Amino acid sequence: MTTLELSPELDPTEAYLERGWGDGLPIVPPTVEVVDAYLAELDWDPQETLGAIPPSWDAATRRAVVVNAVMAGCRVEEIPLVAAAIEACQNPDFNLFTVQTTTSPVAPLLLYNGSYARALGMNAGAGAMGPGDRVSATVGRAVRFVLSNVGAAAPGKGDRATIGLPAKFSWCTREHEEASPWEPFHVAAGFGPDDDAVTVLGGHGMITVCDPGDVPPEQVMAALAGACIGVGTNLFFRPGGQVMLLLAPEHAQIIATEGWTRSDVQTAYFEQARQSVGQLRRSGYHPMRDWPEEYDALPDSATIPVVADPADVLVAIVGGPGRYSHVVPTHGASGRSSTIRVTL
Amino acid sequence: MAKPVFILDPRETDSPVELDRPAPLASLEGARLALLDNRKPGAGTLLAALGEILVRDCGVAETSASQKESAGREVASELVAQIASWATAAVTGIGDCAACTASSFRDATALERAGVRTVLLITEPFVGIRDRIAQMAGLPGYPAVVLRHPISILTPQALAGEAERVAGEVAMGLVAMSAPEVA
């Protein structure tokens, strides 16, 4: 890793922006002194690598993670969350290579579970995915910095997204476990209730869903299902993708008071989020991409699910009061979510 | 006098792993040609047409078509091994978006690391990302045969015509060190 010597009159932010490092906003200068102090406090081996970041395939060393986290404004205690997300992106099923280089607008959505992120103050309540929370803002930004700086995935260069996504600045939140009627997301994924975990999902932004008022769970689910049946979404190209429902606590409570479990929500969504074969044909999407042969024989009146299995509907509880949930479509079959334990 | 500030480059730059490309074939006479379809629209049709032309005009003995799991994923190592155990040359594509171009580049180099001389097919707008990916992989100038864009909207007849147009370049890529890139 190269050390840059700057004369005291030169603004470090300008030095970084001129080199195309960062996200266009001012950064915190990662001085040798600060980076060394953080590495010592974390007791990290600077050379240990967390994996290679495409498309440069350069190593995300622990030192590189700290440098980028400092640039993003992280405090030292937030950096293990950054490292965990980078490690989660290494899961081959996540397909970081495509997430980094595709023309489609994919960004890793970071969802944290457990007491550590909660104790740091990461917002899970009102405006959880908006601005104002230093922890989620800087952790998400730091992950983006590692991906773009180490991976050489600056927009228009390694990152070839046609329009891009504001979520590429930072897309990070925590499950509102305290407001959830169900077990935490990471526990449903097989981790222990005392574990800290991070989930990364290659998301295509979010579609907001409100409901018409006091309605039964079936109608809440119908409203949520409607968000994913647009024929242009990547989800239809080939069964195998995933979709994430970020349920507002009030929506979750409406559903749960009728005795529904998370599994019931997954099944209901799988059954209701279906695309019209006729509409796909009329829109010119049939038989493009990986349209399964068995679909060829279907009549226009048939519908097909947007995911292959109810388990591909991921359900987490996020947000504060109000009835606005979000649906996160993904980039289809070429990538899947990855959940790992956060090592502290 | 104020002291200079020492700050760190946020990148870790590794030395790319060099690739010694498999030597070009002396000729395609008797060659066993693998056609690796990345599942993009038209790829299977165009590759099949290319195979037929190379059998007809260049003496390729046999072709074998296979598909990888997804255009946005790199080819599985098992499929690379399977192809390498049989083929003496390969053609792969079509890179007609950023991720699939980058993935197809990786597929081509994976086949070449396994010893199979390979031609990569991409479409014209993605020459730039091929250049960038190749540069970062330590393979500047890695060739590709460049198809017209958009390829996905072409009829089977038009795809066959495109195969006829580029078949000579594909053959040159397999028997010579590089093919000209003409969209």
Side-chain angles (χ1 to χ4, degrees), chain A residues 147-226:
Chain A
L147 297 180
S148 60
N149 292 334
V150 179
K157 296 175 180 172
D159 173 0
R160 307 299 291 194
T162 304
I163 295 179
L165 195 67
K168 289 192 177 191
F169 279 98
S170 178
W171 200 9
C172 173
T173 193
R174 179 175 72 82
E175 187 177 31
H176 201 167
E177 297 173 15
E178 311 91 295
S180 173
W182 302 307
E183 61 188 355
F185 180 87
H186 70 303
V187 174
F191 293 85
D194 295 329
D195 286 333
D196 292 285
V198 60
T199 299
V200 294
L201 175 77
H204 259 194
M206 300 187 290
I207 304 168
T208 303
V209 177
C210 67
D211 63 63
D214 290 322
V215 295
E218 291 82 357
Q219 286 180 286
V220 175
M221 294 310 303
L224 290 164

Side-chain angles (χ1 to χ4, degrees), chain A residues 13 15 19 33 43 45 131 221 224 277 279 298 326 338-339:
Chain A
T13 288
R19 289 166 172 80
E33 292 78 9
D43 195 21
D45 173 0
M221 294 310 303
L224 290 164
V277 170
Q279 194 174 7
L298 294 175
H326 289 169
S338 167
T339 302

Side-chain angles (χ1 to χ4, degrees), chain A residues 1-8 12 15-16 21 29-33 35 46-47 55-59 61 63-64 67-68 71 92-95 97-98 101-103 149-152 156-158 160 238 288-290 333-336, chain B residues 1-16 37-42 67-74 96-107 125-130 132-138 152:
Chain A
M1 182 171 276
T2 307
T3 302
L4 309 174
E5 179 180 342
L6 299 184
S7 59
Y16 279 77
W21 300 333
T31 62
V32 174
E33 292 78 9
V35 169
Q47 296 300 326
S56 72
W57 301 100
D58 285 344
T61 61
R63 181 171 57 184
V67 170
N68 283 281
M71 284 177 65
D93 287 341
F94 179 69
N95 197 4
F97 185 53
T98 284
T101 60
T102 180
T103 38
N149 292 334
V150 179
K157 296 175 180 172
R160 307 299 291 194
R238 178 167 171 257
M288 101 179 252
R289 300 278 167 132
D290 299 322
S334 60
R336 298 181 65 79
Chain B
M1 182 177 172
K3 292 181 179 176
V5 178
F6 293 94
I7 56 178
L8 289 162
D9 182 334
R11 305 166 301 171
E12 286 282 4
T13 48
D14 297 339
S15 300
D37 170 6
N38 70 344
R39 292 182 179 264
K40 289 308 292 281
Q67 285 187 317
K68 67 173 182 174
E69 185 184 351
S70 166
R73 285 181 177 276
E74 296 170 51
D96 70 345
C97 71
C100 63
T101 297
S103 294
S104 286
F105 172 84
R106 300 273 296 177
D107 299 342
F126 299 99
V127 169
I129 191 161
R130 184 284 314 267
R132 182 166 289 275
I133 297 289
Q135 184 77 34
M136 287 189 283
S152 60

Side-chain angles (χ1 to χ4, degrees), chain A:
Chain A
M1 182 171 276
T2 307
T3 302
L4 309 174
E5 179 180 342
L6 299 184
S7 59
E9 64 271 16
L10 185 61
D11 181 349
T13 288
E14 294 299 328
Y16 279 77
L17 293 179
E18 282 172 7
R19 289 166 172 80
W21 300 333
D23 56 9
L25 297 171
I27 54 96
V28 176
T31 62
V32 174
E33 292 78 9
V34 169
V35 169
D36 285 348
Y38 278 18
L39 281 166
E41 188 166 345
L42 291 162
D43 195 21
W44 279 2
D45 173 0
Q47 296 300 326
E48 183 185 351
T49 180
L50 304 180
I53 309 297
S56 72
W57 301 100
D58 285 344
T61 61
R62 290 197 181 275
R63 181 171 57 184
V65 168
V66 171
V67 170
N68 283 281
V70 171
M71 284 177 65
C74 285
R75 294 167 292 194
V76 65
E77 59 269 29
E78 290 146 6
I79 297 177
L81 299 176
V82 178
I86 295 300
E87 287 188 277
C89 290
Q90 295 296 312
N91 181 339
D93 287 341
F94 179 69
N95 197 4
L96 181 60
F97 185 53
T98 284
V99 170
Q100 289 277 82
T101 60
T102 180
T103 38
S104 79
V106 187
L109 163 61
L110 316 180
L111 178 73
Y112 288 91
N113 278 98
S115 60
Y116 189 73
R118 183 166 66 243
L120 288 180
M122 183 180 283
N123 186 16
M129 287 201 166
D133 163 29
R134 174 178 179 165
V135 182
S136 59
T138 58
V139 168
R141 191 186 190 206
V143 170
R144 168 54 47 192
F145 280 4
V146 174
L147 297 180
S148 60
N149 292 334
V150 179
K157 296 175 180 172
D159 173 0
R160 307 299 291 194
T162 304
I163 295 179
L165 195 67
K168 289 192 177 191
F169 279 98
S170 178
W171 200 9
C172 173
T173 193
R174 179 175 72 82
E175 187 177 31
H176 201 167
E177 297 173 15
E178 311 91 295
S180 173
W182 302 307
E183 61 188 355
F185 180 87
H186 70 303
V187 174
F191 293 85
D194 295 329
D195 286 333
D196 292 285
V198 60
T199 299
V200 294
L201 175 77
H204 259 194
M206 300 187 290
I207 304 168
T208 303
V209 177
C210 67
D211 63 63
D214 290 322
V215 295
E218 291 82 357
Q219 286 180 286
V220 175
M221 294 310 303
L224 290 164
C228 259
I229 58 175
V231 293
T233 169
N234 276 33
L235 282 173
F236 92 88
F237 289 151
R238 178 167 171 257
Q242 293 173 307
V243 60
M244 178 175 269
L245 310 184
L246 298 173
L247 295 182
E250 287 186 25
H251 272 155
Q253 292 297 343
I254 289 170
I255 294 169
T257 52
E258 296 289 328
W260 286 38
T261 64
R262 176 186 263 113
S263 176
D264 293 331
V265 172
Q266 293 173 300
T267 300
Y269 199 80
F270 173 76
E271 290 172 349
Q272 294 193 43
R274 302 177 70 88
Q275 291 175 323
S276 154
V277 170
Q279 194 174 7
L280 289 170
R281 287 192 174 121
R282 287 191 295 276
S283 306
Y285 286 103
H286 169 254
M288 101 179 252
R289 300 278 167 132
D290 299 322
W291 182 275
E293 285 182 14
E294 62 267 27
Y295 286 176
D296 288 336
L298 294 175
D300 281 359
S301 57
T303 59
I304 55 177
V306 298
V307 292
D309 190 276
D312 294 327
V313 181
L314 310 176
V315 181
I317 311 304
V318 176
R323 292 186 182 175
Y324 281 93
S325 292
H326 289 169
V327 176
V328 183
T330 62
H331 59 120
S334 60
R336 298 181 65 79
S337 65
S338 167
T339 302
I340 69 165
R341 191 174 286 110
V342 175
T343 304
L344 301 171

